């Protein structure tokens, strides 16, 4: 059960206005949501990064609506106080506006999420407007948008040249005009992110976007050292739980082999 009241959109907005930093982290299941909430983060993202760090895909592209609903429901069973945003997966919102609204509705009705996130700029504005008009809060995602990483030339910094930087700024303004309550800026130069954050009236959450954003988001498995297939430069590892887990499993294996587990304490009379 949540120990504190649910974080609301006006509270996040107020944090931006008073310059208080917002912390967001991904979670994909019941235990990770419980731990993130216990740590007191303001926002949990059920990111489609789950495709890579939980399901073992090479990218987020194969993630389905069924995957997102399954994991969002598990997160919501932790009853987090953090505001929970669930990602709309690739091709769940690009085909048509009615499909985008229906799929956003599924993440809310079936998954139990508080809000949805989708990637892209001007091209997704009609979908954002329609989802917001249906009463669902929408978070945008600009810069490096992993669902279209191939089109962007790979997982690389976006907006180093002026034309792309100007497009990201224009897209950000368009998403806010369409009703987005917040934006993620991924892998853009720190100065561009700082400028966009200062210009926009809504909270801007950065990942690989420098310290000038209103808040930060990291992938749970990255920050805890649970995923080492690759580590982007912007990740800071706050723990090495992967190594600690292997060490614990090795000790367990050894104790079973040596007949030292279970001992008296773990046995019934
Ligand atoms: O899916 C995800 O985890 C994300 C973050 C990288 C922002 O979209």
């Amino acid at each position: 059960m949540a120990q504190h009241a649910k974080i609301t959109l006006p509270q996040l907005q107020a944090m931006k206005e008073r310059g208080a930093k917002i912390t967001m982290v991904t979670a994909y299941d019941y235990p990770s949501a419980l731990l993130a909430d216990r740590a007191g983060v303001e926002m949990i993202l059920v990111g489609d990064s789950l495709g890579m760090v939980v399901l073992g895909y090479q990218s987020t592209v194969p993630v389905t609506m069924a995957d997102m609903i399954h994991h969002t429901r598990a997160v919501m069973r932790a009853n987090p106080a953090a505001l929970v945003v669930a990602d709309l997966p690739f091709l769940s919102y690009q085909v048509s506006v009615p499909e985008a609204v229906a799929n956003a509705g599924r993440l809310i009705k079936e998954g139990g999420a508080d809000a949805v996130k989708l990637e892209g700029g001007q091209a997704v504005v009609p979908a954002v407007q329609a989802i917001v008009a249906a009463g669902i809060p929408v978070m945008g995602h600009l810069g490096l948008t992993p669902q279209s990483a191939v089109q962007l030339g790979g997982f690389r910094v976006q907006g180093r040249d002026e034309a792309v930087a100007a497009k990201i700024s224009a897209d950000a303004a368009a998403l806010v005009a369409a009703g987005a309550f917040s934006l993620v800026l991924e892998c853009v130069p720190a100065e561009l992110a700082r400028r966009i954050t200062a210009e926009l009236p809504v909270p801007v959450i950065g990942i690989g976007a420098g310290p000038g954003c209103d808040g930060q988001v990291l992938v749970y498995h990255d920050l805890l050292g649970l995923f080492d297939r690759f580590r982007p430069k912007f990740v800071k590892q706050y723990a090495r739980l992967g190594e600690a887990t292997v060490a614990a499993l090795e000790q367990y294996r050894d104790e079973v082999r040596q007949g030292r587990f279970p001992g008296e304490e773990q046995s019934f009379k």
Side-chain angles (χ1 to χ4, degrees):
M1 291 291 286
Q3 297 300 305
H4 37 296
K6 188 84 185 171
I7 301 283
T8 63
L9 299 181
Q11 283 172 333
L12 295 173
Q13 183 62 36
M15 286 180 76
K16 173 175 179 114
E17 285 161 19
R18 66 173 189 274
K21 297 283 187 185
I22 298 167
T23 312
M24 185 183 209
V25 66
T26 67
Y28 312 106
D29 55 19
Y30 177 73
S32 57
L34 277 180
L35 295 173
D37 210 46
R38 202 179 295 165
V41 301
E42 284 83 22
M43 298 173 85
I44 288 176
L45 173 64
V46 188
D48 60 355
S49 50
L50 71 86
M52 298 173 81
V53 298
V54 176
L55 302 179
Y57 295 131
Q58 296 294 322
S59 78
T60 58
V61 167
V63 175
T64 63
M65 278 299 298
D67 293 330
M68 291 308 305
I69 290 169
H70 176 77
H71 286 273
T72 303
R73 290 172 85 165
V75 163
M76 296 313 292
R77 279 182 211 115
N79 192 20
L83 189 99
V84 177
V85 181
D87 262 340
L88 278 160
F90 182 56
L91 284 196
S92 68
Y93 56 94
Q94 295 94 335
V95 175
S96 74
V97 168
E99 242 181 76
V101 177
N103 283 323
R106 291 190 66 197
L107 290 179
I108 303 292
K109 287 183 73 166
E110 297 174 44
D114 300 309
V116 301
K117 176 166 83 56
L118 48 71
E119 297 181 5
Q122 315 267 354
V124 297
V125 159
V128 172
Q129 283 169 332
I131 297 168
V132 172
I136 299 170
V138 175
M139 186 172 200
H141 184 155
L142 292 170
L144 171 57
T145 45
Q147 293 175 9
S148 44
V150 175
Q151 206 174 39
L152 297 175
F155 287 82
R156 54 202 295 193
V157 178
Q158 301 294 311
R160 276 196 168 127
D161 63 275
E162 264 177 42
V164 178
K167 178 163 175 13
I168 294 172
S169 294
D171 281 345
L175 288 171
V176 173
F181 76 91
S182 175
L183 292 185
V184 165
L185 273 186
E186 178 166 355
C187 251
V188 300
E191 179 49 29
L192 174 63
R194 194 201 52 72
R195 220 170 50 227
I196 292 174
T197 304
E199 281 166 10
L200 290 187
V202 301
V204 174
I205 310 297
I207 175 165
C213 299
D214 298 307
Q216 299 292 326
V217 57
L218 278 179
V219 168
Y220 185 91
H221 291 61
D222 287 342
L223 85 91
L224 293 177
L226 283 165
F227 183 76
D228 56 9
R229 207 160 70 194
F230 62 85
R231 173 142 50 107
K233 171 182 157 68
F234 58 74
V235 167
K236 179 168 177 184
Q237 264 188 0
Y238 287 86
R240 292 169 177 256
L241 297 194
E243 284 169 25
T245 303
V246 173
L249 291 170
E250 283 171 347
Q251 189 182 345
Y252 166 61
R253 179 207 61 201
D254 289 345
E255 291 192 7
V256 170
R257 286 182 183 167
Q258 295 155 5
R260 290 196 288 130
F261 175 84
E264 286 267 307
E265 275 169 64
Q266 294 90 24
S267 303
F268 300 103
K269 298 263 185 251

